[in-house]
Amino acid sequence: MKTAKDLFNQRGFNAVSLRDISGVMGISKGNLTYHFKKKEDIIEAILDEMSGQYRPPQVPQSLGEMNALFMHLQTLVKDNAFYFWHHAQLAQVSPKIREQQSKVYQTNTKLFRQAFAVFNKDGVLLDEHFLGQYEQIIDSLLLACIYWIPFGELKQKVGQPATFQRQAWGLLYPLLTEKGKKLLQEIIG
């Protein structure tokens, strides 16, 4: 699975065949297909392993902890670029992957909701201007997290580096109170 993940990260899911994986491993394709009939099976196994090791982070209690969460998510996406490059495609080819994506979405949505409630109570996040505004920001954060690698590559081609951390704070900044904006300046400079 490590060999497959490395190849997927280097070349992308679509550019790697079972023959490529078995060749790098020095085994026959038949030996590999005995364990994994198709590439999607390998992705499912990789994701199962990852989900077994994944522990959802604690609800951020401060903007500093939120910044650490953004940086953690940025690293997670970089380390698993193959998955995020092909996020939508993988959901279409595997109901199991689609189910895992749904669980991750629900977990992260809950995490952000709880963090926003803490920040609002602490006076660093404004009240919603309209019903559902926080929910839309959360959805935008999750979309940015999932798709910032391909988008970031496009931006780099025009000389503008992009990180998920910068994108996330750009989404949240208009909702910060003056107190929140001052705290954020101290955190990220």
Side-chain angles (χ1 to χ4, degrees):
M1 289 188 302
K2 181 183 179 334
T3 299
K5 182 179 173 181
D6 290 345
L7 287 172
F8 291 146
N9 275 338
Q10 292 168 10
R11 301 183 198 167
F13 176 75
N14 294 327
V16 175
S17 68
L18 290 173
R19 179 167 271 110
D20 294 331
I21 297 166
S22 62
V24 170
M25 293 179 66
I27 62 173
S28 71
K29 180 181 172 191
N31 195 356
L32 180 62
T33 58
Y34 176 79
H35 300 283
F36 300 102
K37 303 293 182 225
K38 54 191 189 278
K39 291 190 298 184
E40 292 83 357
D41 296 339
I42 296 173
I43 297 287
E44 289 174 0
I46 291 169
L47 294 177
D48 282 345
E49 184 178 277
M50 286 171 49
S51 68
Q53 298 170 354
Y54 178 74
R55 300 290 174 252
Q58 297 293 318
V59 174
Q61 300 295 311
S62 68
L63 295 183
E65 288 180 13
M66 181 63 92
N67 191 56
L69 174 61
F70 290 157
M71 292 174 72
H72 168 73
L73 291 172
Q74 183 172 296
T75 300
L76 185 70
V77 170
K78 277 184 181 178
D79 291 347
N80 299 285
F82 75 93
Y83 174 76
F84 294 96
W85 267 107
H86 303 284
H87 189 269
Q89 176 189 1
L90 292 172
Q92 293 171 353
V93 299
S94 169
K96 184 175 181 179
I97 292 172
R98 174 74 178 121
E99 183 181 323
Q100 287 176 321
Q101 288 174 343
S102 180
K103 286 179 184 176
V104 169
Y105 169 78
Q106 292 170 15
T107 299
N108 287 332
T109 298
K110 182 179 177 183
L111 177 78
F112 281 119
R113 275 188 201 129
Q114 291 172 336
F116 283 16
V118 168
F119 299 156
N120 183 257
K121 182 181 175 199
D122 289 347
V124 296
L125 191 69
L126 297 170
D127 292 334
E128 291 181 300
H129 295 282
F130 55 88
L131 186 61
Q133 183 181 21
Y134 287 174
E135 202 70 24
Q136 289 179 350
I137 295 293
I138 291 167
D139 285 348
S140 294
L141 286 167
L142 295 175
L143 281 167
C145 184
I146 292 167
Y147 294 108
W148 79 266
I149 281 189
F151 181 72
E153 184 175 283
L154 290 173
K155 286 196 62 121
Q156 281 185 326
K157 287 182 180 177
V158 296
Q160 298 176 350
T163 66
F164 171 66
Q165 177 195 24
R166 287 174 53 99
Q167 187 71 28
W169 284 121
L171 290 167
L172 278 178
Y173 191 80
L175 285 176
L176 295 178
T177 62
E178 288 305 314
K179 174 183 172 183
K181 290 175 182 177
K182 287 177 185 172
L183 287 171
L184 182 60
Q185 288 300 327
E186 293 172 13
I187 294 165
I188 63 173

